[in-house]
Amino acid sequence: MTTDWVAEWRRVVHGRRLGECSQSLAHGTPVPPPLSEAEISEAEAELGVTFPDQYREYVLRQSAGGAVNRLCRSAAGWGWSGDSLTNYDLLTTDFPHPDSYRAYEDELDAREPKERDFPDRDAYQAAWDQWDSEFGVLQERKTSGAVVLQENGCGFSTLLVVTGPHRGSLWFDARATCDKILPLNLNGRPVSFTDWLARGSMGLLTW
């Protein structure tokens, strides 16, 4: 069966995102207070994930935000304030290692429609819309099972994986310049949340 990629793109891109937190912080409050065990359990149940242990401990003992996007409840439900990128409909899908889609992405690039190969402009446009939508779906699914922990400016962001075999690891979304999602590592091993808090993304990148 042929996939209608335009329809699939519309479905995926309209996945749930978070609005503003329902409760704003008091003026002068440096960081949000931690959440209660009940609040964290409610957020996990609603989002359909179990937070990695070190991150869970951080929002329970230290702060719901601070160094990271704030975990809070909005009118739309639980999520991360300041993060307009995470698609919550994809949170329960395993985060894909870049190696898993590299061949598909190369094949997709190779079959980008060329206007000269179509009998008229309308046929070309229809083919282009399907191809462009398929490309968009792939880009959206690259961050399945991960949340934007911190935005780093210039289109860069730090991701925390919450679903799948890479759960608990941190990645750097550098697609704004090099079209890659890069693993953060320390001495050749995946970076934990605690590692990242102590060093930050820029100190853990291997370009």
Side-chain angles (χ1 to χ4, degrees):
M1 185 176 72
T2 302
T3 301
D4 182 346
W5 287 108
V6 172
E8 179 65 6
W9 166 244
R10 288 172 181 158
R11 185 190 70 79
V12 170
V13 80
H14 289 137
R16 188 172 77 84
R17 322 265 174 172
L18 183 72
E20 292 300 315
C21 292
S22 299
Q23 295 182 329
S24 59
L25 296 176
H27 180 68
T29 303
V31 295
L35 298 176
S36 68
E37 178 67 41
E39 288 174 317
I40 295 171
S41 295
E42 180 184 306
E44 289 177 320
E46 183 179 305
L47 294 168
V49 300
T50 300
F51 299 140
D53 291 344
Q54 292 181 1
Y55 172 74
R56 200 178 197 280
E57 188 71 8
Y58 175 84
V59 296
L60 178 64
R61 305 294 180 193
Q62 297 189 46
S63 173
V68 301
N69 283 331
R70 180 186 175 193
L71 178 62
C72 61
R73 186 192 293 111
S74 76
W78 281 95
W80 289 267
S81 184
D83 167 25
S84 62
L85 300 175
T86 299
N87 185 335
Y88 297 163
D89 288 351
L90 298 178
L91 271 185
T92 57
T93 301
D94 288 359
F95 176 78
H97 192 285
D99 289 347
S100 70
Y101 52 74
R102 188 164 289 120
Y104 169 46
E105 187 167 32
D106 289 344
E107 183 269 335
L108 183 59
D109 285 341
R111 59 180 166 86
E112 177 181 349
K114 304 294 190 297
E115 189 168 4
R116 64 177 180 269
D117 297 328
F118 293 86
D120 55 54
R121 179 71 184 180
D122 289 345
Y124 166 68
Q125 189 63 54
W128 170 264
D129 289 345
Q130 287 291 325
W131 179 87
D132 190 50
S133 296
E134 184 177 357
F135 183 83
V137 170
L138 171 61
Q139 293 301 318
E140 191 78 2
R141 289 177 176 167
K142 284 181 178 181
T143 54
S144 296
V147 302
V148 176
L149 202 61
Q150 183 184 74
E151 296 193 29
N152 301 103
C154 300
F156 297 139
S157 59
T158 301
L159 307 174
L160 172 66
V161 177
V162 296
T163 307
H166 304 289
R167 180 175 172 272
S169 62
L170 286 97
W171 295 68
F172 193 74
D173 189 344
R175 287 178 292 175
T177 56
C178 68
D179 200 31
K180 293 181 180 179
I181 296 177
L182 304 166
L184 299 181
N185 67 80
L186 180 63
N187 300 323
R189 63 173 174 82
V191 172
S192 69
F193 179 76
T194 303
D195 291 332
W196 174 79
L197 276 180
R199 294 168 175 81
S201 298
M202 296 305 171
L204 296 164
L205 272 173
T206 303
W207 292 91

